[in-house]
Amino acid sequence: MPRSLPPQSDPAAAADLETERLSAGRHHALQSLRSFWRRPENRVAAGIFALGLIMVAIPVAWLPHDPTKIDMINRLKPPSWSLDPRSFPLGTDVLGRDIFSRIVYGARWTFLICLSAASISTVVGTLAGLAAGYYGATVDAIISRLMDMQLAFPVILLALSVLAVAGPSLINLILVLGLVDWARYARVVRAATLSQRQHDYVEAARALGANPARIALAHILPNILSSVVVMTTFSTALLLLTESALSFLGLGVAPPAVTWGSMIGSGRDYIYQAWWIATMPGIVITLMVLAINFLGDGLRDAFDPRER
């Protein structure tokens, strides 16, 4: 015998409720973005992050020097603030390569690794958290135990262990960084899903005949997307530091590819006689991590319902 719909689950009323919910969601999103952009620290952080993306897009041919060309005549030159475009504004390394050109060139590899790994963590963690929170019971128990196992190991230690066995390479580095960070997403998404699945719009979607996967992806996910975005910003900053640490230890990408972390690693033996080799990329990493963290704080405050 088919189950009768509760009075509040009339299909027409459910459709109107869903339309109103989507309209309110768009309004709150625009309001939150305006609130985010009003704060000067958020604008500065967004500008620094945009500058990093611009470095990624700059062709190698536009750089003042070839970032991979060895020039022993100009090795270990200190920073020179000359107006000559062929000068070395941030100095050169032990092989005579321009530090400024290498920082710009290294941005594409650093961002490629960090953003790719963050995307993997976001997708895997969000899907796992939605499944655990919506289905509950056995699915929740299995995913929760996997999360506990994952979170029991420090990220850097687990990444070191896997890369030591699999070997350092670009693909291995992205996969390791992406798969060691999914549990934090899953925990946050699971908690948000448990809260959202009790709301009226979920009951309305069930009454309209939507299957569980559609309810989770098309109805619950948009309502918790702000939490996922905030998590992604903080995770990107953490992955940037983790990638830099791994590259510093020699477990990053292989030359001639270069990342900011590998630049610090190559300059550690010359810190007293050529401090700029490790200091300049270190400053760039610090500024980028701070900018991403400020973006995360700003997005969290802007999308926090208690601030509306």
Side-chain angles (χ1 to χ4, degrees):
M1 179 178 179
R3 182 171 61 89
S4 59
L5 295 176
Q8 68 271 24
S9 298
D10 176 68
D16 292 340
L17 177 64
E18 180 67 11
T19 301
E20 292 178 6
R21 183 185 66 82
L22 292 174
S23 177
R26 285 191 292 267
H27 174 73
H28 287 316
L30 291 174
Q31 192 176 30
S32 298
L33 289 175
R34 292 193 190 101
S35 174
F36 170 83
W37 196 248
R38 287 194 198 102
R39 299 187 177 183
E41 64 270 23
N42 294 340
R43 294 197 293 270
V44 172
I48 294 175
F49 186 74
L51 183 60
L53 296 179
I54 291 173
M55 287 195 290
V56 173
I58 293 178
V60 175
W62 292 8
L63 298 176
H65 301 275
D66 187 339
T68 61
K69 182 181 179 181
I70 296 175
D71 183 8
M72 298 303 291
I73 297 177
N74 292 310
R75 68 188 299 269
L76 298 181
K77 281 192 174 293
S80 172
W81 311 105
S82 170
L83 296 178
D84 182 3
R86 301 298 298 177
S87 65
F88 304 101
L90 301 182
T92 62
D93 64 6
V94 67
L95 296 178
R97 297 170 297 190
D98 180 39
I99 298 296
F100 174 77
S101 299
R102 286 177 66 77
I103 287 176
V104 177
Y105 178 64
R108 66 191 61 193
W109 295 101
T110 300
F111 273 74
L112 171 65
I113 293 169
C114 295
L115 295 181
S116 299
S119 300
I120 293 173
S121 298
T122 302
V123 172
V124 174
T126 301
L127 293 178
L130 281 171
Y134 186 80
Y135 289 102
T138 304
V139 175
D140 186 16
I142 293 174
I143 294 178
S144 295
R145 297 297 77 76
L146 291 175
M147 285 192 291
D148 293 339
M149 292 171 58
Q150 175 71 65
L151 294 171
F153 293 93
V155 172
I156 187 68
L157 179 60
L158 188 58
L160 277 171
S161 303
V162 175
L163 287 175
V165 175
S169 70
L170 177 62
I171 300 299
N172 288 345
L173 186 59
I174 291 174
L175 291 176
V176 167
L177 291 177
L179 295 177
V180 298
D181 201 39
W182 69 273
R184 295 192 306 117
Y185 286 91
R187 176 162 289 185
V188 171
V189 172
R190 173 185 175 275
T193 304
L194 287 172
S195 173
Q196 291 292 325
R197 73 176 185 178
Q198 307 298 330
H199 288 192
D200 290 340
Y201 73 87
V202 176
E203 293 296 330
R206 290 197 190 104
L208 290 172
N211 58 54
R214 178 175 176 79
I215 293 174
L217 295 175
H219 298 275
I220 295 179
L221 180 58
N223 284 278
I224 64 174
L225 197 57
S226 60
S227 300
V228 176
V229 170
V230 172
M231 279 287 298
T232 301
T233 57
F234 288 120
S235 178
T236 302
L238 177 61
L239 289 172
L240 177 55
L241 290 175
T242 305
E243 184 279 326
S244 299
L246 294 173
S247 296
F248 178 84
L249 296 173
L251 295 174
V253 295
V258 60
T259 63
W260 296 336
S262 64
M263 292 181 65
I264 297 178
S266 66
R268 60 186 168 186
D269 294 332
Y270 304 90
I271 193 66
Y272 293 109
Q273 63 185 107
W275 54 268
W276 54 88
I277 300 177
T279 301
M280 296 305 179
I283 292 173
V284 173
I285 291 174
T286 301
L287 290 176
M288 193 58 63
V289 169
L290 286 174
I292 295 173
N293 280 327
F294 271 109
L295 285 176
D297 284 333
L299 290 172
R300 181 187 59 196
D301 294 341
F303 285 94
D304 189 347
R306 292 172 296 183
E307 299 291 334
R308 294 173 183 162

